[in-house]
Amino acid sequence: KAGKAGFNALRLPINVATAGNASVLATLKTYVEMIGGKAVLCMFGTSYSEHVDHGTGRVDDLNATAWAWAKAHEVFASFPGVRYELLNEPFGYSTPEEYYADMTKLLELTGLPHDRVILGGFRYDAQLEVLVNLGWTGDMAYHYYPWWLTKGECTEDNFQKKLEEDLRGITSRVFITEFGGSLDQPNPGYKKFDPSPYDCDVNAFRGLQKVLLALQSQGRRVKGAF
């Protein structure tokens, strides 16, 4: 169904438990084959009772996570279009340095091909520049949501400016691996310009479309959007 709808790649979540389950990996492999061999596998943290939605926001066990990535790579090594997003939304780290140290150690332990690895931006995958400053030269994951701006600031222009600033100079290294918002606002297709600084959903989508189309026309498109 995804292919028929015009999608040519998938973002698929895994965690330590599912990466160790041969049946689950076989199912994910089937999905990848059906979409044409292109996907992003993303490692999600462990969820505990006090961390229901996103887990702890950090790698809880480097050795276990490295083992999980190695098991996933065994299945997908022959798929050059499959990329590895090391950790979803690392909000559990106190500093970019702490996060980057864990990611470089994880890469060392896994031995994953550097050119297939995607490193998520700091916190909620929204801060990319800090990774560049720390020396990361590979690809990065960026997340984009209406709540990146506060109500009263949510104009289309402000969303456009934020996205342009966040991606400046690095668009060729960025996958937008999450974006979203409410789709039920009374503005069909969100085609109508909305001057209100409070309609964050409409203006977030319009700002995103405006930036991505401009980048494409300039030959500076992002690597993908999921």
Side-chain angles (χ1 to χ4, degrees):
K1 291 183 178 180
K4 290 181 180 179
F7 296 97
N8 61 6
L10 298 171
R11 183 178 185 242
L12 300 171
I14 61 173
N15 60 18
V16 172
T18 54
N21 187 317
S23 177
V24 171
L25 289 180
T27 298
L28 296 181
K29 181 180 177 183
T30 299
Y31 295 158
V32 172
E33 290 171 336
M34 291 175 63
I35 203 71
K38 293 183 179 181
V40 171
L41 296 184
C42 180
M43 183 68 67
F44 279 68
T46 304
S47 289
Y48 301 102
S49 58
E50 68 273 26
H51 300 290
V52 176
D53 295 328
H54 285 70
T56 59
R58 60 185 297 126
V59 174
D60 298 301
D61 186 326
L62 280 169
N63 289 319
T65 304
W67 172 85
W69 271 122
K71 298 298 288 185
H73 185 54
E74 286 178 8
V75 174
F76 293 99
S78 62
F79 290 80
V82 173
R83 308 296 298 273
Y84 304 132
E85 189 176 345
L86 287 188
L87 179 66
N88 180 66
E89 297 191 344
F91 59 87
Y93 289 94
S94 299
T95 65
E97 289 79 9
E98 181 191 18
Y99 166 53
Y100 189 64
D102 260 12
M103 294 302 100
T104 52
K105 181 63 176 178
L106 187 59
L107 271 178
E108 178 186 327
L109 291 171
T110 61
L112 292 174
H114 187 276
D115 62 353
R116 291 179 62 174
V117 168
I118 302 172
L119 199 58
F122 187 53
R123 295 297 188 194
Y124 290 91
D125 281 21
Q127 300 178 34
L128 303 181
E129 187 177 2
V130 292
L131 300 181
V132 176
N133 293 340
L134 286 169
W136 179 246
T137 59
D139 291 334
M140 293 173 283
Y142 178 79
H143 291 180
Y144 177 85
Y145 287 104
W147 46 89
W148 275 195
L149 295 179
T150 60
K151 285 188 177 295
E153 298 178 347
C154 294
T155 64
E156 181 179 321
D157 282 347
N158 281 345
F159 277 112
Q160 179 184 352
K161 289 174 184 176
K162 175 168 175 53
L163 189 55
E164 288 173 340
E165 181 178 337
D166 288 347
L167 302 183
R168 184 172 291 117
I170 54 174
T171 53
S172 65
R173 298 166 55 188
V174 173
F175 289 87
I176 300 177
T177 58
E178 282 187 27
F179 67 96
S182 174
L183 299 175
D184 61 357
Q185 301 303 303
N187 185 342
Y190 293 178
K191 294 180 180 179
K192 183 180 177 182
F193 173 73
D194 190 335
S196 172
Y198 294 93
D199 289 340
C200 298
D201 294 287
V202 171
N203 289 326
F205 280 115
R206 287 179 58 88
L208 174 64
Q209 182 186 47
K210 193 172 183 179
V211 171
L212 294 183
L213 289 176
L215 289 172
Q216 181 176 337
S217 69
Q218 297 162 13
R220 299 189 297 118
R221 66 175 65 189
V222 297
K223 282 199 164 181
F226 295 79

